[in-house]
Amino acid sequence: MVFSDGALSIGELAERAGVTVKTVRFYSDRGLLPEASRSSGGHRRYGPEALERLRLIRSLRTLDLPVPEVGRVLDHPEGMPDALESAIDGQLRRLGSQLTALRWREAALQLVRECPAGKRAERLRLVGAVSTPPSTAPMARFWRGALPFRLSPRLVSSILEYAVPQPPADPTPAQVLSFARLHAIATAPCPAGDPRRPAGNRTDVVHRPDVLYDGLFDAYVLAAPDLKANRTPARGQALDRFVAAHAESRGLRDGPGFRRRLSGLLTRAADPLVDRYWELTGELSGSSDPTLGAAHAWLRSALDTDVAAATAVEPGDPMSR
């Protein structure tokens, strides 16, 4: 029905817009489609502008924008382009997250389907513990617990950037498995020897952690070309910077005695769990660049080789002076 003043009944508005009366009532009840008035019998009446507004609502909903977002766009007609762009950006982010979750589920299903029957229970347990889309929060907590509490936010942020791998948006089954294993390491119970235990519980206290980690980063950068070239760990500028970082952070000086003590200390502190973490990080990234863990392991080996060579020199040998 069209009233004499040009107002439309709810049925007429629904028919012209190609929707149901129930749909018009839904948008009206949520404030998206204001009524012009009510008839004497209490029936809803809409102004001529309601038809165009309803068509706009339908267009926005076709883009799957949530009703609250549609309301925000309609409430700012003077800033419609900005409000609409913001709403679309938000929807694109949500869709991206949903697509990533679907891709991870697909790869996880392929992983379970393709693995030997005897390993399916383990694979199901691993992938079932990971949210979709996957979260890196457990890995970040793992490393925050492992780092000295006095380390500056700048260095914590830098270390997390390297140590917390970002899950690929379109993973392979192998990458899903690597991420699930990383997640399992990061969320495992914390035994006495776990690196996540507070630094204050360790016997070797670093007095200036920023000095140590700044120096370690320098050493890792210097060692990277040797790792990429697959060179055998050996003495050189990278190792000297590595040892100097440890010495300076403790207020000590580099020398044969310090290198022997440091070699023993690093051997005792070595943790297969952390070594495995770095291996999985490399598998997940698929990058040819060495991880911090790989650089650290190379420098540890270089130090052990250097200490062994120095120990082999007899006291009377001119090289020992």
Side-chain angles (χ1 to χ4, degrees), residues 145-170:
L147 296 172
F149 70 92
R150 290 184 291 112
L151 194 64
S152 68
R154 169 183 63 84
L155 279 167
V156 170
S157 178
S158 296
I159 293 168
L160 291 182
E161 182 179 350
Y162 288 97
V164 179
Q166 293 304 309
D170 191 7

Side-chain angles (χ1 to χ4, degrees), residues 107 111 171-179 283-284:
L111 172 68
T172 64
Q175 288 175 317
V176 168
L177 181 59
S178 295
F179 190 91
E283 292 175 9
L284 184 64

Side-chain angles (χ1 to χ4, degrees), residues 47-312:
E49 72 283 352
L51 179 58
E52 187 58 35
R53 186 178 178 91
L54 181 54
R55 286 171 175 163
L56 177 58
I57 292 171
R58 288 192 64 202
S59 297
L60 294 171
R61 290 292 290 146
T62 299
L63 297 174
D64 206 27
L65 294 183
V67 170
E69 292 288 347
V70 173
R72 278 190 279 274
V73 172
L74 296 174
D75 288 342
H76 298 86
E78 71 287 348
M80 173 75 78
D82 293 339
L84 180 57
E85 183 175 351
S86 176
I88 291 175
D89 286 346
Q91 183 65 359
L92 286 173
R93 286 192 296 272
R94 286 188 288 271
L95 285 173
S97 179
Q98 292 169 12
L99 288 171
T100 298
L102 288 173
R103 293 187 185 110
W104 273 79
R105 288 171 186 161
E106 179 184 30
L109 288 169
Q110 292 174 348
L111 172 68
V112 174
R113 183 186 63 185
E114 296 167 2
C115 76
K119 293 185 177 181
R120 281 183 178 167
E122 179 202 9
R123 298 284 169 86
L124 282 169
R125 177 181 58 79
L126 284 170
V127 300
V130 179
S131 63
T132 50
S135 171
T136 58
M139 289 76 154
R141 286 194 295 270
F142 177 91
W143 286 105
R144 286 184 185 279
L147 296 172
F149 70 92
R150 290 184 291 112
L151 194 64
S152 68
R154 169 183 63 84
L155 279 167
V156 170
S157 178
S158 296
I159 293 168
L160 291 182
E161 182 179 350
Y162 288 97
V164 179
Q166 293 304 309
D170 191 7
T172 64
Q175 288 175 317
V176 168
L177 181 59
S178 295
F179 190 91
R181 285 174 170 163
L182 281 171
H183 182 275
I185 290 174
T187 57
C190 187
D194 195 287
R196 287 170 287 174
R197 294 183 65 82
N201 291 347
R202 302 172 194 161
T203 56
D204 181 65
V205 178
V206 175
H207 299 291
R208 296 192 293 169
D210 276 30
V211 171
L212 173 61
Y213 283 90
D214 273 328
L216 291 179
F217 267 116
D218 290 344
Y220 297 155
V221 170
L222 291 170
D226 291 321
L227 270 82
K228 285 188 174 183
N230 202 27
R231 297 191 183 100
T232 301
R235 186 168 188 175
Q237 187 180 8
L239 177 60
D240 291 345
R241 187 69 187 97
F242 180 75
V243 175
H246 282 281
E248 292 167 8
S249 68
R250 293 167 171 80
L252 302 173
R253 296 179 62 184
D254 185 6
F258 178 78
R259 292 198 174 203
R260 283 195 300 273
R261 291 193 297 273
L262 180 61
S263 176
L265 174 67
L266 294 180
T267 298
R268 291 190 297 273
D271 193 318
L273 189 74
V274 176
D275 292 341
R276 179 58 175 153
Y277 181 101
W278 285 114
E279 289 176 9
L280 292 168
T281 299
E283 292 175 9
L284 184 64
S285 69
S287 172
S288 61
D289 293 332
T291 64
L292 296 186
H296 186 81
W298 191 93
L299 288 162
R300 273 173 41 201
S301 295
L303 175 62
D304 292 343
T305 300
D306 181 56
V307 169
T311 304

